[in-house]
């Protein structure tokens, strides 16, 4: 990563304007809750995040195209992960600026173009100047934050008048296509239950994003859903498999599952006849009023 593109959560660095964040004195609570579960320091995390991008990037790019991203826009990508969407936005906004943020930006792909700033930033604590962005995008981020409703509210003034917030969230959907006898359903249920209990992840948050936006003062709020097919070799199957392998010690250690349960669930991923729809994606957009 080039030095000019990386700043700390103290807001220090050579970037200017939207790349300068105002930081709270203490680390954000989100960092404490998340870091011991799905930290970027895990050796499996780059592959897991790559699988996530392969599963979800096509739909995200389609939605951003529908928003109408313009070449001169300033955009904020929250929870950048490996940075694939931030890089895509930087290519689209060649006369603009893209800021990619995360609690840990070490996995953002290099090289970083000049119009892409990479910033360590805690969305629950740190802020940006009012009117900084025409677009803010967050995918599978707020569902992991107990302060999710407050974050929706605090992002509104970061948008320029008429600017767009696009929030995409994964939604637990195991009852459709997975019978109760399915070992994979048992594992997926334990996966979501464990993360909810450990740091407050909410697998139903996606259906409530629209209401949160309206309550916060966004207008033209719209939502849509994608139901992804899970079958052997599919991107969503690989993402789910790697996530389950990552959190398996926690599932077994907490008593939610035994080793045989995890093994049976993972074997179901490899069944060429398997087809299910355990995860939906709900995408919600809202705009800051123009006056």
């Amino acid at each position: 990563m080039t030095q000019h593109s990386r700043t700390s959560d103290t807001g220090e660095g050579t970037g200017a304007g939207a790349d300068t964040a105002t930081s709270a004195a203490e680390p954000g609570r989100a960092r404490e809750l998340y870091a011991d579960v799905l930290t970027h320091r895990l050796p499996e995390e780059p592959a897991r995040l790559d699988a996530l991008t392969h599963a979800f990037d096509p739909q995200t790019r389609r939605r951003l195209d529908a928003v109408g991203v313009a070449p001169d826009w300033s955009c904020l990508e929250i929870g950048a992960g490996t940075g694939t969407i931030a890089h895509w936005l930087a290519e689209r906004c060649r006369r603009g600026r893209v800021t990619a943020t995360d609690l840990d930006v070490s996995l953002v792909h290099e090289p970083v173009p000049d119009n892409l700033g990479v910033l360590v930033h805690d969305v629950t604590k740190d802020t940006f100047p009012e009117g900084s962005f025409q677009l803010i995008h967050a995918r599978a981020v707020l569902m992991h934050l107990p302060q999710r409703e407050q974050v929706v509210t605090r992002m509104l003034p970061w948008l320029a008048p008429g600017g767009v917030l696009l929030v995409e969230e994964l939604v637990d959907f195991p009852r459709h296509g997975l019978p109760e006898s399915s070992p994979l359903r048992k594992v997926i249920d334990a996966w979501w239950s464990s993360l909810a209990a450990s740091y407050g992840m909410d697998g139903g948050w996606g259906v409530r994003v629209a209401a949160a936006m309206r309550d916060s003062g966004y207008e033209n709020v719209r939502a849509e859903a994608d139901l992804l097919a899970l079958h052997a070799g599919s991107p969503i199957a690989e993402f789910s498999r790697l996530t389950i392998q990552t959190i398996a010690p926690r599932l077994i250690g907490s008593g939610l599952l035994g080793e045989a349960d995890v093994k049976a669930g993972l074997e179901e991923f490899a069944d060429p006849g398997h087809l299910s729809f355990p995860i939906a994606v709900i995408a919600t957009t809202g705009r800051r009023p123009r006056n």
Side-chain angles (χ1 to χ4, degrees):
M1 188 76 66
T2 53
Q3 182 65 36
H4 78 277
S5 66
R6 192 185 287 274
T7 56
S8 72
D9 59 352
T10 63
E12 298 176 351
T14 56
D19 285 345
T20 303
T22 303
S23 177
E26 296 180 357
R29 179 65 173 156
R31 187 194 311 272
E32 300 169 6
L33 294 168
Y34 190 82
D36 69 333
V37 183
L38 292 171
T39 174
H40 287 189
R41 294 187 298 273
L42 290 171
E44 305 88 352
E45 191 66 354
R48 194 183 75 89
L49 291 181
D50 280 341
L52 183 148
T53 65
H54 291 147
F56 301 119
D57 274 14
Q59 296 95 329
T60 295
R61 292 193 298 265
R62 173 179 59 80
R63 294 183 184 109
L64 291 170
D65 276 334
V67 165
V69 177
D72 59 349
W73 274 17
S74 179
C75 304
L76 174 62
E77 174 74 3
I78 293 174
T82 58
T84 55
I85 293 300
H87 276 270
W88 185 87
L89 284 169
E91 180 68 21
R92 287 301 183 94
C93 302
R94 295 207 173 180
R95 301 198 309 272
R97 181 73 174 166
V98 178
T99 301
T101 73
D102 212 323
L103 294 176
D104 180 348
V105 297
S106 61
L107 299 183
V108 173
H109 292 164
E110 298 183 11
V112 174
D114 289 341
N115 67 331
L116 173 57
V118 180
L119 177 69
V120 175
H121 181 272
D122 184 344
V123 72
T124 69
K125 296 289 186 181
D126 304 330
T127 189
F128 288 99
E130 182 167 354
S132 293
F133 306 104
Q134 281 75 43
L135 169 71
I136 299 175
H137 173 244
R139 182 176 69 193
V141 176
L142 304 189
M143 63 184 291
H144 295 290
L145 305 178
Q147 312 93 326
R148 53 191 68 86
E149 288 89 354
Q150 296 95 313
V151 172
V152 168
T153 300
R154 71 195 313 267
M155 288 191 291
L156 180 62
W158 302 351
L159 287 167
V164 181
L165 171 64
L166 168 59
V167 174
E168 298 175 296
E169 299 290 9
L170 311 188
V171 178
D172 188 13
F173 211 64
R175 293 163 186 80
H176 299 264
L178 275 175
E180 290 190 12
S181 60
S182 163
L184 180 56
R185 174 168 175 172
K186 184 175 183 179
V187 171
I188 290 176
D189 283 346
W191 160 12
W192 290 78
S193 296
S194 174
L195 298 187
S198 61
Y199 62 81
M201 186 193 77
D202 187 344
W205 157 246
V207 303
R208 306 196 307 275
V209 175
M213 285 190 184
R214 293 190 189 99
D215 291 345
S216 297
Y218 294 81
E219 62 182 19
N220 298 327
V221 176
R222 300 288 185 272
E224 66 177 40
D226 284 333
L227 193 55
L228 304 181
L230 190 155
H231 54 82
S234 66
I236 186 62
E238 182 65 3
F239 166 70
S240 300
R241 182 185 67 81
L242 290 170
T243 300
I244 290 167
Q245 287 181 334
T246 298
I247 66 172
R250 176 179 291 270
L251 300 179
I252 296 168
S254 66
L256 285 171
L257 296 175
E259 291 185 13
D261 295 320
V262 175
K263 183 175 183 292
L266 291 173
E267 286 175 349
E268 198 166 343
F269 280 118
D271 180 354
H274 179 87
L275 175 64
S276 62
F277 303 88
I279 296 175
V281 177
I282 297 182
T284 309
T285 57
R287 292 182 179 271
R288 179 178 176 178
R290 292 188 179 276
N291 49 42

